[in-house]
């Protein structure tokens, strides 16, 4: 596999363009600033879903001989909270993810996580750290977009993107419609038999139940609760704003039959920003109202002048 290394936007890009790409900063920053930096230039701070992804990312990041290392997107807000990934609300932690004697929550204030990328025994291991410490940011940029799959959803893994087609569509981009709702299933090989065959069948309700929507991203100042199987068909997720923030938009989304979340994502704004927005809207509405009234008054005045001119000559003729 050929790997590439580029310098762009004050950061480095490592990896290939077949799946998501990993990016890292060339300067250190606190955890919150690191995430903001990732979201400004890429998709988000890196989210690790399994040990293979952890090992692959470490293999392409440059080694650091000592601290500071790299921030990753797993955190918690309170001592008793579980460690949670920011992008998909997952709580995955591998059996051997933490370095020896970690997490130790030194001074009860270590709520962020760095990953060791070095040549020692702790290579690829995690360490809980104070969020105010300066580390290098590691981000990812998704390759899937709205046009990747015409009638389906795009699924990314290491060095690969795959279109999961809606019922009735096939092709590498789900761009080919088949007659009715019938599609061909991939060849199924049974280790206990010597024969295999291609089968085709109609999409059934049991197959539909296995459909899942992609993990929801959770913005800052938002808490997410999901019911009915998290990302499975017909499950519902409700957004809750943290105290001191006001929700703008609908609070609920649901997983549809096409594997896409139904409903717009809400935004949690602090009350000061919300009041400022309301004040700006009020000022704009007032100005528009004043302009409209002035235009109507001017129009009426012109009509009155025209009528006066029209009535004047007729009165003189009668005299």
């Amino acid at each position: 596999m050929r790997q590439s290394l580029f310098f762009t936007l004050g950061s480095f890009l490592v990896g290939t363009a077949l799946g998501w790409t990993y990016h890292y900063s060339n300067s250190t920053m606190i955890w919150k600033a690191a995430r903001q930096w990732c979201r400004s230039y890429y998709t988000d701070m890196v989210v690790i879903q399994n040990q293979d992804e952890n090992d692959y990312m470490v293999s392409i990041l440059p080694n650091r001989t000592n601290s500071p290392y790299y921030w990753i997107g797993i955190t918690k807000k309170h001592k008793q909270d579980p460690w949670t990934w920011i992008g998909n609300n997952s709580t995955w932690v591998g059996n051997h993810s933490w370095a020896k004697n970690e997490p130790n929550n030194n001074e009860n204030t270590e709520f962020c996580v760095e990953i060791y990328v070095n040549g020692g025994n702790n290579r690829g291991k995690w360490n809980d750290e104070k969020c105010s410490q300066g580390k290098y940011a590691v981000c990812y940029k998704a390759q899937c977009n709205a046009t990747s799959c015409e009638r389906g959803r795009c699924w990314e893994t290491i060095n690969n993107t795959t279109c999961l087609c809606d019922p009735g569509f096939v092709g590498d981009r789900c761009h080919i419609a088949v007659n009715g709702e019938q599609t061909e299933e991939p060849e199924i090989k049974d280790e206990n038999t010597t024969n295999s065959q291609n089968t085709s069948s109609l999409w059934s309700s049991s197959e539909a139940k296995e459909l899942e929507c992609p993990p929801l991203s959770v913005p800052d100042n938002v808490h997410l609760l999901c019911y009915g199987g998290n990302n499975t068909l017909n499950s519902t997720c409700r957004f809750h704003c943290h105290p001191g923030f006001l929700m703008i938009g609908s609070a609920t989304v649901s997983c549809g039959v096409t594997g896409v979340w139904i409903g717009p994502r809400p935004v949690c704004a602090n009350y000061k920003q919300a009041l400022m927005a309301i004040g700006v809207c009020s000022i704009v509405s007032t100005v528009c109202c004043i302009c409209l009234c002035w235009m109507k008054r001017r129009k009426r005045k012109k009509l009155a002048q025209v009528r006066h001119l029209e009535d004047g000559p007729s009165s003189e003729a009668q005299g």
Side-chain angles (χ1 to χ4, degrees):
M1 179 182 65
R2 296 181 61 187
Q3 294 184 1
S4 54
L5 177 64
F6 303 99
F7 182 77
T8 176
L9 293 175
S11 66
F12 288 95
L13 161 68
V14 285
T16 67
L18 296 175
W20 59 69
T21 53
Y22 293 109
H23 305 255
Y24 65 93
S25 65
N26 61 352
S27 59
T28 60
M29 56 195 81
I30 64 174
W31 189 93
K32 186 175 181 180
R35 189 188 183 192
Q36 184 177 359
W37 185 83
C38 286
R39 297 177 75 179
S40 297
Y41 294 110
Y42 307 107
T43 302
D44 208 334
M45 187 180 286
V46 68
V47 173
I48 301 171
Q49 303 175 97
N50 51 58
Q51 191 61 43
D52 288 340
E53 291 181 11
N54 187 94
D55 296 343
Y56 175 76
M57 183 187 71
V58 170
S59 72
I60 61 176
L61 287 173
N63 280 353
R64 304 284 179 187
T65 56
N66 50 41
S67 186
Y69 293 103
Y70 300 93
W71 286 128
I72 57 177
I74 185 171
T75 184
K76 61 180 180 179
K77 296 184 180 298
H78 305 286
K79 181 179 179 180
Q80 303 302 325
D81 290 348
W83 291 101
T84 304
W85 292 97
I86 54 176
N88 58 10
N89 217 30
S90 166
T91 55
W92 177 82
V93 174
N95 294 329
H96 306 288
S97 295
W98 294 105
K100 186 177 180 180
N101 299 323
E102 302 294 346
N104 60 10
N105 193 24
N106 187 28
E107 298 180 4
N108 295 324
T109 57
E110 296 186 337
F111 295 154
C112 293
V113 177
E114 67 175 340
I115 186 169
Y116 294 133
V117 181
N118 54 28
N121 295 330
N122 281 331
R123 178 178 174 82
K125 302 292 186 181
W126 305 350
N127 169 51
D128 59 334
E129 182 63 282
K130 297 179 179 67
C131 302
S132 58
Q133 296 293 319
K135 311 286 180 183
Y136 297 96
V138 181
C139 321
Y140 78 96
K141 183 177 182 180
Q143 298 299 312
C144 286
N145 55 53
T147 61
S148 297
C149 307
E150 291 189 9
R151 294 301 298 269
R153 61 190 178 99
C154 188
W155 185 263
E156 293 190 62
T157 54
I158 297 175
N159 294 332
N160 183 57
T161 59
T162 303
C163 286
L164 305 179
C165 298
D166 294 343
F169 293 87
V170 295
D172 57 348
R173 295 179 55 247
C174 302
H175 58 290
I176 303 173
V178 297
N179 294 331
E181 295 271 320
Q182 194 168 2
T183 60
E184 289 188 357
E185 295 180 349
E187 183 179 2
I188 302 175
K189 294 183 179 181
D190 190 341
E191 296 179 353
N192 299 322
T193 61
T194 57
N195 298 325
S196 62
Q197 61 180 8
N198 292 332
T199 60
S200 61
S201 63
L202 292 176
W203 287 78
S204 64
S205 59
S206 61
E207 290 172 321
K209 290 180 181 177
E210 296 176 356
L211 186 68
E212 291 187 353
C213 289
L216 283 167
S217 61
V218 183
D220 291 333
N221 309 315
V222 175
H223 178 62
L224 184 66
L225 291 177
C226 294
Y227 310 93
N230 288 341
N231 299 338
T232 57
L233 178 64
N234 294 328
S235 62
T236 299
C237 291
R238 178 175 289 274
F239 294 84
H240 299 270
C241 293
H242 291 170
F245 290 84
L246 179 67
M247 180 171 293
I248 302 175
S250 175
T252 304
V253 295
S254 58
C255 182
V257 294
T258 60
V260 177
W261 290 101
I262 300 173
R265 309 294 190 273
V267 175
C268 290
N270 62 44
Y271 285 105
K272 183 181 293 184
Q273 292 175 338
L275 291 174
M276 186 178 297
I278 293 172
V280 170
C281 290
S282 299
I283 293 172
V284 171
S285 298
T286 302
V287 171
C288 290
C289 183
I290 292 173
C291 291
L292 184 61
C293 293
W294 178 80
M295 291 174 65
K296 287 184 176 180
R297 184 174 181 276
R298 185 178 179 185
K299 186 176 180 180
R300 286 196 300 267
K301 188 175 180 180
K302 284 186 176 181
L303 287 174
Q305 290 175 349
V306 170
R307 289 173 182 172
H308 179 73
L309 292 173
E310 290 176 349
D311 293 343
S314 62
S315 300
E316 293 176 358
Q318 291 176 1

